[in-house]
């Protein structure tokens, strides 16, 4: 806890018993531990604590932006940053990530926030010094052949752009593999650990109304300003809609339904004939009206949700990437078996209606929501 607070520019505080300089730099606070020596501090604008200023500037420069080119550190360097379990700040470095060691890659987006797929919660989770790299998806080889193909989280300490990698206890490749499988439960079914299942341990809660996240979305190139402004309008409109459900019906807009107004009309209608799709097949996503006829009022088809983030792809064409038959349940770590489920190439969640989570999760498609395109 903060036990001392001196209200002045270049505040001296005690954080956990250690004297610390609190520097306000570009509307953000930076905490610079100063050791056990005495601190004499004047006005920051008059040159107070050159060391603290340099640290603040270094922190501002260290943040990677979308589009930056980076090189993933070598295997031994990365292993040295991990604890004995194979994690850094609670985030596992998974065996599937070893194949990217030493490669030059492009930052897809910063991963300062992410959606909560464990609880799940409507709020996001906050991470520190973490990015997604373009094309770096999990192949599930160390996790029972999971086919979710999640976009991987990379700590900046695992990239050569980081000035100084963290020093951990050190892990081995065998430790990474051991951490991937938790234990066999009472049904003798393996339970898995991965970045998705351990997300809560590697992050902190983030409110939807925390303004800094939206500033950073634009500042670091995750999203364009018009996209963020439109997304914020949707956030506040949907908040209004949920509150309006307490009002008399004649005061509500569309009975308090949230934008983009997706509600299934009953899955009792006859389902289209199965397509028996294979990787490489060209398909077209059916129209919104056609898909609504296959959904229950909860927007599900035989238990599978048609999410609002899938709506922008209606009417578009794509090729089948792969069929999905098994994925890890992020909440339990157990393997789930799926039927009639495919993933489409370059079709991913853009989080236009969910505050710009950068994970680019692949949505799962029922064949009833697609039509085959010949040629």
């Amino acid at each position: 806890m903060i036990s001392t607070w001196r209200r002045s520019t270049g505040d001296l505080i005690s954080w956990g018993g250690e004297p610390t300089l609190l520097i306000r730099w570009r509307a953000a606070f930076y905490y610079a531990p100063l050791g056990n020596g005495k601190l004499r501090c004047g006005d920051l604008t008059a040159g107070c604590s050159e060391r603290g200023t340099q640290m603040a500037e270094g922190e501002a420069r260290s943040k990677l932006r979308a589009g930056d080119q980076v090189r993933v550190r070598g295997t031994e360097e990365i292993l040295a940053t991990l604890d004995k379990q194979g994690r850094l700040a609670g985030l596992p470095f998974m065996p599937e990530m070893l194949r990217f060691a030493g490669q030059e890659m492009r930052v897809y987006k910063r991963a300062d926030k992410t959606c909560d797929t464990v609880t799940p919660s409507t709020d996001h989770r906050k991470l520190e010094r973490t990015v997604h790299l373009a094309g770096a998806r999990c192949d599930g080889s160390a996790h029972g052949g999971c086919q979710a193909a999640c976009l991987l989280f990379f700590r900046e300490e695992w990239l050569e752009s980081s000035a100084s990698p963290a020093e951990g206890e050190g892990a081995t490749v065998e430790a990474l593999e051991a951490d991937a499988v938790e234990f066999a439960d009472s049904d003798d079914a393996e339970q898995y650990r991965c970045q998705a299942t351990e997300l809560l341990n590697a992050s902190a809660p983030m409110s939807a109304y925390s303004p800094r996240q939206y500033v950073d979305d634009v500042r670091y190139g995750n999203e364009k300003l018009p996209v963020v402004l439109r997304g914020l309008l949707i956030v506040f409109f949907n908040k209004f809609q949920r509150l309006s459900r307490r009002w008399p019906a004649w005061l509500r807009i569309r009975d308090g339904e949230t934008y983009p107004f997706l509600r299934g009309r009953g899955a009792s209608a006859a389902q289209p004939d199965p397509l028996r799709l294979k990787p490489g097949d060209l398909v077209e996503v059916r129209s919104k009206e056609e898909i609504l006829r296959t959904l229950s009022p909860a927007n599900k088809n035989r238990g599978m949700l048609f999410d609002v983030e899938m709506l922008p792809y209606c009417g578009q064409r794509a090729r089948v990437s792969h069929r999905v038959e098994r994925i890890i349940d992020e909440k339990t770590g157990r393997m789930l078996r799926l039927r009639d489920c495919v993933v489409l190439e370059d079709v991913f969640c853009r989080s236009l209606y969910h505050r710009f989570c950068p994970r680019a999760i692949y949505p799962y498609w029922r064949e009833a929501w697609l039509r085959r395109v010949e040629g």
Side-chain angles (χ1 to χ4, degrees), residues 129-254:
R129 295 176 59 83
T130 309
V131 298
H132 294 300
L133 302 181
R137 290 187 177 270
C138 178
D139 63 9
S141 56
H143 291 83
C146 173
Q147 298 171 307
C150 296
L151 199 60
L152 296 164
F153 293 91
F154 280 82
R155 293 276 308 191
E156 291 188 6
E157 293 88 340
W158 301 335
L159 308 174
E160 288 187 357
S161 61
S162 177
S164 56
E167 294 184 5
E169 298 173 307
T172 63
V173 173
E174 291 75 16
L176 305 187
E177 295 170 347
D179 191 46
V181 182
E182 187 171 5
F183 57 84
D185 62 15
S186 57
D187 299 327
D188 292 328
E190 289 180 313
Q191 290 185 284
Y192 297 93
R193 296 190 187 102
C194 66
Q195 290 186 334
T197 66
E198 301 305 300
L199 181 62
L200 299 186
N201 295 326
S203 62
M206 172 184 278
S207 169
Y209 305 103
S210 171
R212 180 64 178 268
Q213 62 180 300
Y214 304 111
V215 174
D216 285 349
D217 282 335
V218 177
R219 181 182 182 187
Y220 295 109
N222 276 22
E223 301 292 345
K224 301 294 185 182
L225 179 59
V227 176
V228 171
L229 293 177
R230 178 180 181 274
L232 285 173
L233 286 175
I234 292 172
V235 168
F236 289 112
F237 175 76
N238 286 343
K239 177 69 172 178
F240 170 82
Q241 288 292 86
R242 284 188 285 269
L243 291 174
S244 73
R245 293 169 187 170
R246 308 171 187 173
W247 304 348
W250 63 274
L251 287 176
R252 303 175 201 153
I253 301 173
R254 297 187 65 135

Side-chain angles (χ1 to χ4, degrees), residues 24-30 57 60-61 212 219:
R24 184 170 179 82
W25 180 262
R26 295 183 182 177
F29 289 104
Y30 295 86
E57 289 176 325
R61 287 196 302 267
R212 180 64 178 268
R219 181 182 182 187

Side-chain angles (χ1 to χ4, degrees), residues 333-345:
R334 298 187 64 171
M335 192 68 74
L336 301 178
R337 303 291 174 175
L338 303 179
R339 292 179 295 176
D340 183 17
C341 176
V342 298
V343 163
L344 305 181
E345 293 180 359

Side-chain angles (χ1 to χ4, degrees), residues 255-277:
D255 201 32
E257 188 178 350
T258 56
Y259 187 82
F261 309 128
L262 178 68
R263 183 180 296 177
R265 296 174 181 169
S268 58
Q271 300 290 311
D273 293 333
L275 301 178
R276 297 181 176 85
L277 296 170

